[in-house]
Amino acid sequence: MPGFGYFLSCEEHGPADLVEQARMAEQAGFESLWISDHYHPWNGQQGQSPFVWSVIGALSQAVSLPVETAVTCPLLRTHPAVIAQAAATSAVQLDGRFRLGVGTGEALNEHILGTVWPEAPVRLEMLEEALQIIRRLLTGEQISHHGKHYTVENARLYTVPDEPVPIDVSAFGPQAAEVAARVGDGLITMAPDEAVVERFRRGGGGGKPVYGGLKVCWGTDEREAVRTAHRLWATEQLPGELPQVLPTPTHFEQASELVTEERVARAVRCGDDPDAHVEALSAFVDAGFDGVYVNQIGADQQGFFDFYRTKVLPRLRD
């Protein structure tokens, strides 16, 4: 049976609220946590974006659940040697209950230092090189690296976990799925897409775990829940590579004017029908996922956790 986790949204909530949600998630019966890693929110309505590594430190003291970044981009905004140190410390703080989720990122977060935003194939190439550096540093040995994209000289991590940190790679298309199979310890994706899972398995993913995530908006008034989901997360319905190339929350707000409430209602489970929520998560189970992470959109977190504790998670496990 796949595990069911909760997805903490740094774009919507400040650090204290995220820690409290983690506590509620553990009490509700969720088995693990994802946490997003952003510099900006997707739009101004979301309104937050705390530094993920500080929040992970707080989570290590607040809950006993495993934690994974979903996902960190170790390419431009933060050098892979620094990400390696952050991941190592997080794994030590969490006593081995940490996984590093990585991806090729979005211009929204990564362009802020004024660097060129590379095309997707180049970012995949950079990701492979970055993971080589991170894995070597996580051994605790001193390394130097002079590669195509990165230079590291005489670097050594002195605070490292006893076991290697698993690194899962985010992928949405076939080329990224093949890279994830080749260099990752697992796959992260945000739709129950059997074709992506199969491409990952055939490309070398074999028995490696596959994790998926989705957003829902629980509420007793389904129409109001749809409006909330549309106000906060219409950005998720933008097509193609657009979310990877738009540079600011304002640009996302402009593009999201083209996304209707009806489109959001079709894509996001809204309301308080247990069958609809069970169906949404079961789609990932049926597609062969090993873990599913769900995020509640909006402010009513306690109502969501009560609903999932009593009406959704027991049915999924039965």
Side-chain angles (χ1 to χ4, degrees), residues 221-244:
D221 183 333
E222 182 176 349
R223 194 66 238 170
E224 181 60 30
V226 169
R227 285 192 287 269
T228 298
H230 180 265
R231 176 173 59 86
L232 292 170
W233 286 95
T235 54
E236 285 231 320
Q237 306 311 314
L238 295 175
E241 290 188 56
L242 201 58
Q244 279 72 56

Side-chain angles (χ1 to χ4, degrees), residues 269-270 273-281 315:
R269 288 299 186 274
C270 296
D273 179 1
D275 290 340
H277 287 260
V278 169
E279 179 185 35
L281 273 71
R315 285 182 55 183

Side-chain angles (χ1 to χ4, degrees), residues 136-198:
R136 290 180 64 195
L137 283 168
L138 287 171
T139 64
E141 298 176 0
Q142 179 172 304
I143 77 158
S144 292
H145 173 92
H146 299 274
K148 181 176 180 179
H149 300 286
Y150 303 106
T151 297
V152 178
E153 290 189 350
N154 308 326
R156 178 185 172 188
L157 298 180
Y158 282 81
T159 300
V160 293
D162 294 332
E163 299 295 330
V165 176
I167 302 176
D168 301 321
V169 177
S170 174
F172 300 97
Q175 185 179 0
E178 290 180 357
V179 172
R182 185 168 63 253
V183 302
D185 296 309
L187 172 70
I188 289 174
T189 190
M190 299 302 291
D193 190 333
E194 293 185 35
V196 170
V197 175
E198 179 61 24

Side-chain angles (χ1 to χ4, degrees), residues 248-265:
T248 70
T250 299
H251 288 99
F252 277 92
E253 290 164 8
Q254 293 167 354
S256 295
E257 292 178 8
L258 302 174
V259 179
T260 64
E261 288 188 7
E262 289 70 29
R263 181 170 180 176
V264 171

Side-chain angles (χ1 to χ4, degrees), residues 12-30:
E12 267 194 72
H13 304 283
D17 288 337
L18 292 167
V19 172
E20 181 57 30
Q21 288 168 26
R23 291 192 183 101
M24 290 192 288
E26 186 166 30
Q27 293 165 3
F30 286 97

